[in-house]
């Protein structure tokens, strides 16, 4: 993602284009399938917050999809209007994903674009970790994507058990890793936007981030790295760094950072401190910046993205 694209997507002009597109596409449409729904949601997450009228208009098209409607309506309220709204919005998003791709009906995912699915996983996983522990483990591109739409950053007061969300993500990634390679090939080819090779790399990276964030689910990553149906597609150096870096039931931050250097998409750790983020980018030891969530800080991050990409 280059600087010009990020600047455009962070602009009101781009938000206006998305609003116009949603109005045009949804006019007279009352039976949305899950591929359409995820397309619209990814577009919404990819720009600034839209006008509440757009969310209201969209929600009226979702009478038979209650989890989706509840989540879209929560976007009208934002995440910082009252105590607990952040957690409420997060849980509604999680339930929306569970409803869209229930583990008992994993084949439903074939109706959804693989790139949209990965986008939503990349949205849910950092959000879970931030609320739970005040820390995000992500790639630089995922972190930049997350900050485009994010208005505020909070950590929950007190202990909140979000292990169920990590468990869902682990099982979801495991199910995708178990699918026959022909199924994955057909799925990615039918929807376009991402190759099977890149999809499988992305789910392995997601498994790494899940392990680091949850301090659990190492068995998922180990299963992926031992699955010939996946390793056949993995870049050899990427696979070797991860495989050689495994210890007993753990893989460390530096190992994951080293593996991600194969793609030029560095590893990022973001730590929440007093409603601002300290971001360390582990491409190099010196490659570290600080980010506070004020109007100018995003552009500091963007400048860093361009200089170090």
């Amino acid at each position: 993602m280059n600087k010009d694209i990020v600047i455009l997507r962070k602009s009101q002009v781009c938000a206006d284009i998305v609003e116009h597109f949603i109005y045009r596409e949804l006019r007279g449409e009352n039976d949305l399938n899950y591929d359409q729904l995820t397309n619209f949601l990814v577009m919404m997450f990819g720009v600034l917050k839209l006008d509440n009228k757009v969310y209201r208009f969209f929600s009226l098209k979702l009478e038979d999809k209650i989890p989706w409607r509840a989540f879209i309506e929560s976007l009208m309220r934002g995440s910082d209007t009252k105590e607990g709204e952040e957690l409420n919005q997060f849980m509604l998003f999680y339930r929306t994903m569970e409803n869209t791709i229930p583990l008992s009906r994993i084949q439903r995912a074939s109706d959804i674009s693989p790139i949209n699915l990965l986008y939503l996983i990349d949205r849910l996983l950092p959000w879970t970790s931030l609320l739970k522990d005040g820390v995000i483990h992500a790639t630089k591109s995922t972190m930049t994507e997350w900050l485009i739409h994010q208005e505020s950053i909070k950590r929950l007061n007190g202990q909140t058990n979000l292990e169920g969300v990590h468990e869902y993500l682990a099982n979801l990634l495991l199910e995708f890793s178990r699918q026959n390679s022909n199924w994955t090939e057909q799925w990615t080819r039918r929807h376009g936007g991402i190759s099977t090779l890149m999809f499988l790399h992305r789910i392995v990276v997601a498994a790494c981030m899940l392990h680091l964030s949850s301090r659990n689910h190492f068995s998922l990553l180990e299963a992926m790295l031992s699955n010939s149906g996946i390793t056949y597609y993995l870049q050899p150096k990427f696979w070797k760094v991860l495989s050689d870096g495994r210890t007993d039931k753990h893989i460390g931050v530096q190992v994951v950072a080293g593996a991600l250097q194969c793609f030029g998409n560095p590893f990022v750790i973001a730590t929440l401190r007093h409603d601002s983020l300290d971001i360390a980018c582990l491409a190099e030891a010196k490659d570290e910046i600080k980010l506070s969530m004020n109007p100018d800080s995003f552009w500091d991050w963007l400048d860093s993205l361009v200089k170090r990409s």
Side-chain angles (χ1 to χ4, degrees), residues 198-294:
M198 188 52 64
F199 175 79
L200 292 173
H201 276 89
R202 291 273 300 273
I203 66 170
V204 172
V205 171
C208 290
M209 301 307 174
L210 175 62
H211 170 60
L212 293 174
S213 299
S214 66
R215 297 178 291 278
N216 196 356
H217 304 295
F218 177 72
S219 59
L220 166 66
L221 183 58
E222 193 151 57
M224 287 182 173
L225 295 176
S226 304
N227 183 340
S228 60
I230 292 179
T231 58
Y232 172 81
Y233 291 91
L234 297 184
Q235 204 252 32
K237 184 178 178 182
F238 173 76
W239 175 81
K240 181 173 174 52
V241 171
L242 290 178
S243 295
D244 291 351
R246 289 178 292 179
T247 59
D248 184 31
K249 298 183 179 180
H250 181 64
I251 194 165
V253 165
Q254 293 297 337
V255 174
V256 176
L260 289 174
Q261 287 181 24
C262 299
F263 308 112
N265 189 15
F267 181 80
V268 167
I269 300 176
T271 306
L272 182 61
R273 303 185 193 281
H274 307 296
D275 294 332
S276 67
L277 283 175
D278 290 346
I279 295 182
C281 183
L282 303 184
E284 308 170 30
K286 64 181 180 179
D287 194 5
E288 182 172 336
I289 64 169
K290 301 290 185 182
L291 175 68
S292 299
M293 291 303 290
N294 59 60

Side-chain angles (χ1 to χ4, degrees), residues 16 64 95 121 179 196 198 248 274 290:
D16 291 344
D64 62 334
R95 290 180 190 127
I121 290 173
Q179 296 303 310
T196 299
M198 188 52 64
D248 184 31
H274 307 296
K290 301 290 185 182

Side-chain angles (χ1 to χ4, degrees), residues 16-229:
D16 291 344
I17 291 171
V18 169
E19 288 182 0
H20 176 76
F21 179 83
I22 290 172
Y23 278 129
R24 188 190 70 187
E25 292 298 306
L26 290 181
R27 189 176 295 116
E29 181 69 72
N30 292 303
D31 187 21
L32 298 169
N33 61 43
Y34 286 108
D35 192 38
Q36 290 173 304
L37 288 171
T38 54
N39 272 330
F40 286 126
L41 187 55
V42 167
M43 281 191 289
M44 289 176 176
F45 277 149
V47 296
L48 298 173
K49 185 178 183 297
L50 304 181
D51 190 288
N52 280 345
K53 293 178 182 178
V54 181
Y55 298 129
R56 188 174 296 109
F57 176 73
F58 188 16
S59 71
L60 293 175
K61 305 291 182 177
L62 303 171
E63 290 187 5
D64 62 334
K65 293 182 172 63
I66 295 173
W68 273 87
R69 181 168 186 169
F71 175 65
I72 296 301
E73 288 176 346
S74 78
L75 296 178
M76 290 189 281
R77 300 189 294 272
S79 61
D80 57 352
T81 54
K82 62 181 180 179
E83 186 73 23
E85 188 58 42
E86 175 89 1
L87 178 60
N88 179 58
Q89 189 177 100
F90 166 81
M91 292 305 297
L92 289 172
F93 178 51
Y94 165 51
R95 290 180 190 127
T96 297
M97 278 200 66
E98 270 195 315
N99 173 262
T100 304
I101 315 171
L103 295 174
S104 60
R105 297 179 60 191
I106 196 69
Q107 295 296 328
R108 181 190 282 177
S110 64
D111 297 331
I112 300 168
S113 163
I115 200 163
N116 284 351
L117 173 70
L118 289 168
Y119 187 98
L120 297 180
I121 290 173
D122 281 348
R123 196 85 198 172
L124 183 61
L125 181 52
W127 202 359
T128 307
S129 302
L130 184 66
L131 290 176
K132 181 176 178 290
D133 297 318
V135 177
I136 291 176
H137 299 86
T139 62
K140 182 180 272 190
S141 60
T142 295
M143 191 70 208
T144 303
E145 189 74 46
W146 192 76
L147 289 171
I148 287 174
H149 182 80
Q150 198 68 19
E151 289 186 317
S152 62
I153 296 178
K154 295 178 181 176
R155 183 179 179 180
L156 297 179
N157 294 321
Q159 293 294 315
T160 302
N161 187 355
L162 298 177
E163 292 304 323
V165 184
H166 281 150
E167 194 71 29
Y168 168 75
L169 286 167
N171 287 324
L172 184 64
L173 291 169
L174 181 62
E175 287 300 321
F176 283 119
S177 72
R178 286 174 171 171
Q179 296 303 310
N180 182 284
S181 59
N182 289 334
W183 182 88
T184 307
E185 288 271 10
Q186 291 171 10
W187 180 36
T188 54
R189 194 179 301 120
R190 183 170 73 256
H191 287 278
I194 192 169
S195 66
T196 299
L197 181 147
M198 188 52 64
F199 175 79
L200 292 173
H201 276 89
R202 291 273 300 273
I203 66 170
V204 172
V205 171
C208 290
M209 301 307 174
L210 175 62
H211 170 60
L212 293 174
S213 299
S214 66
R215 297 178 291 278
N216 196 356
H217 304 295
F218 177 72
S219 59
L220 166 66
L221 183 58
E222 193 151 57
M224 287 182 173
L225 295 176
S226 304
N227 183 340
S228 60

